[in-house]
């Protein structure tokens, strides 16, 4: 069984690679969000999310959520638009090459 | 090989261009619709949602115990201050929504009675941090102005919304105690902790005395004028012109100006000397307010006064020096001084990094705690109580 393209190794910084990275970031954020790790960001106000959980785990979950949230909101859209842009540029290059080939 | 190099260059270039376009635009997705947060009359929708969560805490004993314990494990003061800011918010909501006034009054009374009971039963240190036990107060009354000031302000706001005879002597007694402690100090400032005065607490006390004056037909204008003059001469940072945040009983400077103190101080001083309060707000904004890619924030310390991260500043994000404590109280000042633009940029940051959770029309911020949410609620509904005080003062003249 073949894995979907976003889980397969793509040529580095190719449009599909950029798109796959955006997808993986979004997926990872979706998972921690559904797991309810947003609660653990309370360490930002110096408050524990739960008195019953060891602070180390709460801190780990809160930090992970924040890193993935930043990646989802700031990095993933940039990766997505970069994929579109790179795809457009590649098409432009290949067309101009064809054009040059045809002219010669 | 040339193909690989071209692919990497195109990919990298595209990513840089996309990031350069996306990052400055990203704040638009978190910008608030201001009518949800701010209203000249009535209670804005988001404030209603925040209030619903606070009311849930105060009506569910299990949840209340859990939330207060969560805060107390970090700082006992937050337990106390969450009460103060919620009462301040409720009083303003009572002016904004007279139909719900009796409901708000009942909650205010519950909070006040429980707070007074805890103070009586558990003593001076229940709402103070542990280091309060390590020294002794210099003033003869040996009381904390932190507690007296905020309790007096709660009592005053309750009575302002609707008179309650039982609270009259309680407010009068507090005011007398506060004035006695403040007058003992050469800088007319009482201690919050042993030999440690805070501008935040003294300005809260002044606001409470002003309200008591109005309610009980007394006049401490002379004391207010002396206090302002002394603070300008002896408790002001010469570099920024901002009031410092802490000092010893004799007026020796402790910490310099701090965001977690000056924003609330400026708001309280609106009742004492509006022009001076406005000047402090403008200076604080110049020194502490920041904006990056459309996201507003506040620093804890001016650039000329580097401080250390502590329980008041909250966690500080390096590079920009963004302080959770200062940014939270900046909402209050921005709301109080009608600085809509700054408030909007702060709300944008809150929607981004506050991690709002809306459940059953009750709003809270995961990155915050009940005291932070209560401060925010107060920032969104403040105005009517201060307006009422000013109006009645004018009428009295």
């Amino acid at each position: 069984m073949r894995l979907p393209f976003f889980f397969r190794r793509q040529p580095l910084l190719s449009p599909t690679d950029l798109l796959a990275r955006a997808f993986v970031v979004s997926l990872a954020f979706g998972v921690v969000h559904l797991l309810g790790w947003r609660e653990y960001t309370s360490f930002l106000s110096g408050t524990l999310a739960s008195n019953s959980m060891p602070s180390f785990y709460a801190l780990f979950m809160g930090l992970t959520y924040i890193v993935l949230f930043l990646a989802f909101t700031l990095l993933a859209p940039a990766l997505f638009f970069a994929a579109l842009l790179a795809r457009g540029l590649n098409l432009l290059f290949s067309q101009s090459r064809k054009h040059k080939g045809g002219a010669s | 090989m040339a193909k690989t190099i071209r692919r990497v260059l195109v990919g990298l270039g595209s990513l840089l261009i996309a990031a350069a376009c996306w990052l400055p635009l990203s704040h638009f997705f978190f910008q608030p619709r201001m009518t949800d947060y701010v209203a000249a009359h009535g209670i804005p929708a988001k404030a209603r949602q925040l209030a619903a969560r606070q009311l849930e805490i105060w009506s569910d004993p299990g949840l209340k115990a859990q939330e207060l314990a969560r805060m107390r494990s970090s700082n006992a003061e937050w337990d106390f201050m969450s009460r103060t800011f919620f009462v301040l918010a409720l009083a303003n909501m009572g002016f904004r929504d007279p139909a719900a006034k009796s409901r708000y009054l009942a909650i205010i009374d519950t909070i006040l009675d429980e707070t007074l009971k805890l103070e009586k039963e558990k003593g001076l240190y229940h709402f103070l941090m542990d280091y309060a036990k390590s020294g002794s107060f210099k003033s003869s009354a040996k009381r904390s102005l932190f507690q007296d000031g905020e309790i007096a302000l709660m009592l005053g706001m309750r009575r302002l919304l609707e008179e309650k005879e039982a609270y009259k002597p309680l407010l009068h007694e507090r005011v007398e105690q506060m004035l006695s402690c403040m007058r003992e100090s050469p800088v007319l400032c009482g201690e919050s902790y042993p030999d440690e005065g805070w501008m935040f607490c003294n300005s809260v006390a002044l606001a409470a005395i002003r309200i008591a004056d109005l309610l009980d037909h007394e006049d401490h204008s002379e004391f207010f004028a002396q206090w302002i003059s002394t603070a300008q001469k002896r408790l002001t940072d010469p570099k920024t012109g901002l009031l410092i945040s802490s000092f010893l009983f004799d007026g020796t400077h402790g910490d310099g100006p701090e965001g977690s103190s000056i924003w609330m101080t400026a708001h309280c001083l609106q009742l004492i000397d509006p022009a001076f309060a406005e000047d402090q707000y403008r200076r604080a904004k110049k020194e502490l307010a920041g904006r990056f890619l459309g996201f507003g924030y506040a620093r804890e310390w001016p650039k000329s006064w580097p401080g250390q991260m502590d329980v008041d500043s909250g966690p500080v994000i390096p590079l920009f020096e963004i302080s959770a404590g200062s940014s939270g109280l900046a909402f209050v000042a921005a709301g109080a001084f009608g600085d809509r633009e700054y408030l909007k940029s702060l709300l944008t940051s809150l929607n981004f990094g506050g991690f709002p959770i809306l459940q059953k029309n009750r709003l809270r911020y995961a990155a915050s705690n009940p005291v932070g949410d209560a401060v925010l609620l107060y920032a969104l509904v403040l105005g009517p109580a201060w307006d009422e005080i000013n109006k009645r003062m004018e009428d009295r003249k």
Side-chain angles (χ1 to χ4, degrees):
Chain A
M1 195 183 81
R2 280 183 62 143
L3 288 167
F5 87 90
F6 36 77
F7 287 132
R8 273 184 270 135
R9 196 187 171 97
Q10 304 290 330
L12 184 70
L13 290 169
S14 65
T16 47
D17 179 48
L18 294 168
L19 207 57
R21 284 173 197 272
F23 183 82
V24 169
V25 163
S26 306
L27 189 71
F29 172 69
V31 169
V32 295
H33 185 73
L34 288 174
L35 286 173
W37 287 16
R38 175 170 277 226
E39 291 286 351
Y40 298 96
T41 58
S42 65
F43 77 87
L44 286 173
S45 61
T47 320
L48 286 178
S50 156
N51 279 338
S52 58
M53 178 178 281
S55 55
F56 170 78
Y57 293 113
L59 188 64
F60 169 76
M61 289 192 277
L63 268 174
T64 304
Y65 186 90
I66 289 170
V67 168
L68 289 173
F69 173 79
L70 290 175
F72 174 67
T73 52
L74 302 179
L75 182 63
L79 285 166
F80 176 76
F81 291 126
L84 293 181
L85 190 60
R87 174 83 180 129
L89 286 172
N90 285 341
L91 278 173
L92 212 67
F93 286 137
S94 61
Q95 273 184 357
S96 90
R97 216 170 31 218
K98 265 186 206 166
H99 187 69
K100 273 185 192 168
S104 63
Chain B
M1 182 66 181
K3 211 174 162 185
T4 308
I5 292 173
R6 198 192 73 188
R7 186 191 70 230
V8 169
L9 285 177
V10 167
L12 212 56
S14 301
L15 189 56
L16 286 174
I17 292 167
C21 294
W22 172 251
L23 293 180
L25 293 175
S26 57
H27 73 277
F28 285 115
F29 289 84
F30 298 94
Q31 255 182 14
R33 196 171 60 182
M34 287 305 278
T35 49
D36 286 346
Y37 292 86
V38 183
H41 305 286
I43 300 170
K46 290 289 175 187
R48 273 192 194 281
Q49 292 171 343
L50 271 168
R53 167 63 179 176
Q54 295 282 321
L55 289 169
E56 184 189 21
I57 292 173
W58 279 93
S59 54
D60 177 342
L63 180 64
K64 187 178 106 187
Q66 179 195 314
E67 288 297 328
L68 295 184
R70 211 159 66 86
M71 286 193 294
R72 290 188 68 86
S73 68
S74 297
N75 185 348
E77 285 184 359
W78 292 347
D79 170 6
F80 183 65
M81 293 175 78
S82 68
R83 297 160 191 260
T84 306
F85 278 101
F86 189 36
V87 166
L88 297 185
L90 285 169
N92 278 279
M93 286 164 66
F95 284 112
R96 285 175 175 271
D97 182 7
K101 190 169 93 172
S102 56
R103 187 169 167 236
Y104 298 145
L105 283 169
I107 304 156
I108 290 175
D109 290 354
T110 304
I111 296 172
L112 259 170
D113 293 344
E114 197 209 86
T115 307
L116 291 167
K117 188 169 166 245
L118 281 170
E119 187 199 29
K120 197 173 175 185
E121 286 175 3
K122 304 210 170 182
L124 172 67
Y125 300 108
H126 181 64
F127 291 119
L128 295 179
M129 287 188 275
D130 283 343
Y131 78 90
K133 294 172 188 162
S134 60
S136 71
F137 285 88
K138 301 280 178 192
S139 66
S140 50
K142 313 233 174 281
R143 299 182 65 91
S144 164
L145 195 77
F146 163 61
Q147 287 185 33
D148 284 336
E150 292 193 22
I151 287 176
L153 188 60
M154 284 193 270
L155 289 165
M157 291 290 268
R158 196 282 178 215
R159 288 184 55 206
L160 186 73
L161 183 60
E162 190 176 290
E163 186 57 274
K164 182 168 175 172
E165 286 297 319
Y167 289 155
K168 260 188 177 180
L170 298 183
L171 178 59
H172 180 74
E173 189 189 348
R174 289 276 162 182
V175 166
E176 289 305 311
Q177 278 160 347
M178 291 192 301
L179 282 165
S180 149
C181 289
M182 292 168 91
R183 282 181 172 137
E184 272 185 62
S185 153
V187 285
L188 301 177
C189 284
E191 304 151 279
S192 301
Y193 281 79
D195 200 14
E196 189 181 296
W198 284 87
M199 193 57 74
F200 182 108
C201 306
N202 279 275
S203 62
V204 165
L206 291 174
I209 297 168
R210 171 67 93 196
I211 297 171
D213 276 2
L214 182 73
L215 296 167
D216 298 327
H217 307 287
E218 291 188 31
D219 185 4
H220 290 98
S221 315
E222 208 174 301
F223 177 76
F224 295 142
Q226 277 177 354
W227 190 94
I228 294 284
S229 161
T230 308
Q232 285 171 334
K233 282 183 203 140
R234 299 191 54 182
L235 298 174
T236 300
D237 170 45
K239 284 184 191 155
T240 59
L242 284 169
L243 291 169
I244 59 165
S245 57
S246 72
F247 35 83
L248 304 184
F249 189 63
D250 64 9
T252 306
H253 288 201
D255 295 310
E258 288 184 344
S260 55
S261 178
I262 195 66
W263 300 118
M264 183 65 178
T265 297
H267 170 49
C268 289
L269 291 180
Q270 283 180 302
L271 291 184
I272 309 301
D273 185 335
F276 180 54
E278 179 87 28
D279 173 69
Q280 286 294 297
Y281 176 69
R282 297 293 154 216
R283 286 175 191 272
K285 196 175 167 202
K286 181 173 161 243
E287 296 288 337
L288 304 171
R291 200 175 155 135
F292 182 68
L293 297 174
F295 295 98
Y297 62 89
R299 303 160 55 96
E300 175 70 342
W301 310 281
K303 286 188 179 126
S304 59
W305 184 279
Q308 296 231 321
M309 196 160 77
D310 60 16
V311 73
D312 295 319
S313 70
V316 172
I317 298 172
L319 201 65
F320 297 104
E321 302 286 316
I322 299 170
S323 150
S326 177
S327 298
L329 285 157
F331 279 97
V332 172
F337 290 91
D339 194 342
R340 215 175 155 93
E341 197 192 327
Y342 186 38
L343 186 62
K344 188 175 182 180
S345 71
L346 288 168
L347 285 166
T348 305
S349 302
L350 184 75
N351 288 341
F352 176 69
F355 302 112
I357 295 178
L358 183 64
Q359 283 168 336
K360 296 179 185 168
N361 218 24
R362 294 177 194 128
L363 176 65
R364 66 193 167 94
Y365 289 88
S368 179
N369 52 31
V371 68
D373 288 350
V375 169
L376 183 65
L377 171 62
Y378 177 56
L380 301 184
V381 296
L382 59 74
W386 262 216
D387 289 346
E388 177 72 14
I389 296 160
N390 287 329
K391 186 175 150 281
R392 288 202 212 171
M393 295 297 289
E394 282 299 313
D395 291 348
R396 233 172 79 169
K397 279 179 195 166

